[in-house]
Amino acid sequence: MPTPTPTPNPPAPGPEILAAFEAAKGFMPVGEGLALYAAAVEAGRLGLPLLEVGTYCGRSTILLAGAAREAGVTALTVDHHRGSEEQQPGWEYHDPETVDPELGVMDTLPTFRRTLHRAGLEDHVVALVGRSPKVAALWNSPLALVFIDGGHTDKHATADYEGWAPHVAEGGLLVIHDVFPDPVDEFTGQAPYRVYLRALASGAFTELPATDSLRVLRRTGDGI
């Protein structure tokens, strides 16, 4: 499968996609979002689906869906919608608005669906509701892009990598969010950093330019 050629000027989302992204709940900064969109547009030229692990309320999904629409492919997003560790009550990133008032547990699925509806992107996304390793175990087709942005423990980040990275097609992209090399960020970014190092050490990926905590790797070989 041919490797898509990056353009000198990275593609950018249109104003309506960017506005929807900025209005959505979530934590991805604009600069990293623009880099994710550019990577997704490039990968989409392979004609294969784009997949993210870690939907939350759909902020980054908007960008993948916009890129998928451009490429004529589908964006897939995997999440159990009960929130990761740092989003639970009592933690820094908890949002009480995401708690189901009847069950008393987090449920970001309704907010995610509203986000996509408002952005006019529902037809370009398939939401896979379940735990990443269980969904990955059922998956058996190549992907143009895998964006890992799920749980930030070693257990969850490693499972996301092991479950999904092997499905990145030759020439496709593996994108990892919240990669923080400084040990002071042990809770928020060290597990993604260790996954990023593992991907490089595998020999299956070649690193492309990074944007802040967003790392982009191209699948260039075997060995995952």
Side-chain angles (χ1 to χ4, degrees), residues 12-176:
E16 74 288 350
I17 294 291
L18 187 57
F21 166 77
E22 292 183 305
K25 284 183 183 291
F27 311 103
M28 175 172 276
V30 172
E32 294 177 348
L34 294 176
L36 174 63
Y37 179 84
V41 169
E42 178 190 330
R45 296 180 193 137
L46 292 175
L48 297 169
L50 315 172
L51 180 139
E52 75 172 340
V53 181
T55 313
Y56 189 52
C57 296
R59 185 174 170 93
S60 56
T61 316
I62 288 171
L63 300 175
L64 295 184
R69 182 173 64 183
E70 287 288 316
V73 299
T74 299
L76 307 156
T77 184
V78 182
D79 201 310
H80 49 67
H81 287 281
R82 295 303 189 197
S84 57
E85 299 82 3
E86 67 274 16
Q87 294 161 1
Q88 301 305 316
W91 290 89
E92 179 181 0
Y93 294 102
H94 178 65
D95 183 345
E97 292 183 359
T98 63
V99 175
D100 183 313
E102 180 179 346
L103 300 180
V105 297
M106 285 189 64
D107 185 2
T108 56
L109 184 58
T111 304
F112 162 69
R113 298 202 67 182
R114 287 193 292 270
T115 296
L116 279 191
H117 180 77
R118 289 168 179 158
L121 294 168
E122 287 181 299
D123 290 343
H124 304 280
V125 177
V126 172
L128 302 170
V129 181
R131 296 196 175 271
S132 170
K134 290 186 176 294
V135 180
L138 302 174
W139 194 262
N140 60 6
S141 58
L143 298 163
L145 177 142
V146 167
F147 173 44
I148 296 179
D149 191 23
H152 286 59
T153 65
D154 280 302
K155 175 184 176 181
H156 292 120
T158 298
D160 292 341
Y161 173 77
E162 292 179 348
W164 293 107
H167 297 297
V168 178
E170 181 181 354
L173 299 178
L174 174 66
V175 183
I176 307 171

Side-chain angles (χ1 to χ4, degrees), residues 173-189:
L173 299 178
L174 174 66
V175 183
I176 307 171
H177 194 217
D178 292 327
V179 174
F180 293 107
D182 193 329
V184 75
D185 296 305
E186 172 61 35
F187 186 75
T188 56

Side-chain angles (χ1 to χ4, degrees), residues 161 165 168 174 199-200 202-207 217-221 224:
Y161 173 77
V168 178
L174 174 66
L200 286 180
S202 73
F205 296 97
T206 301
E207 187 166 20
L217 309 172
R218 188 185 307 284
R219 180 76 183 265
T220 53
I224 298 176

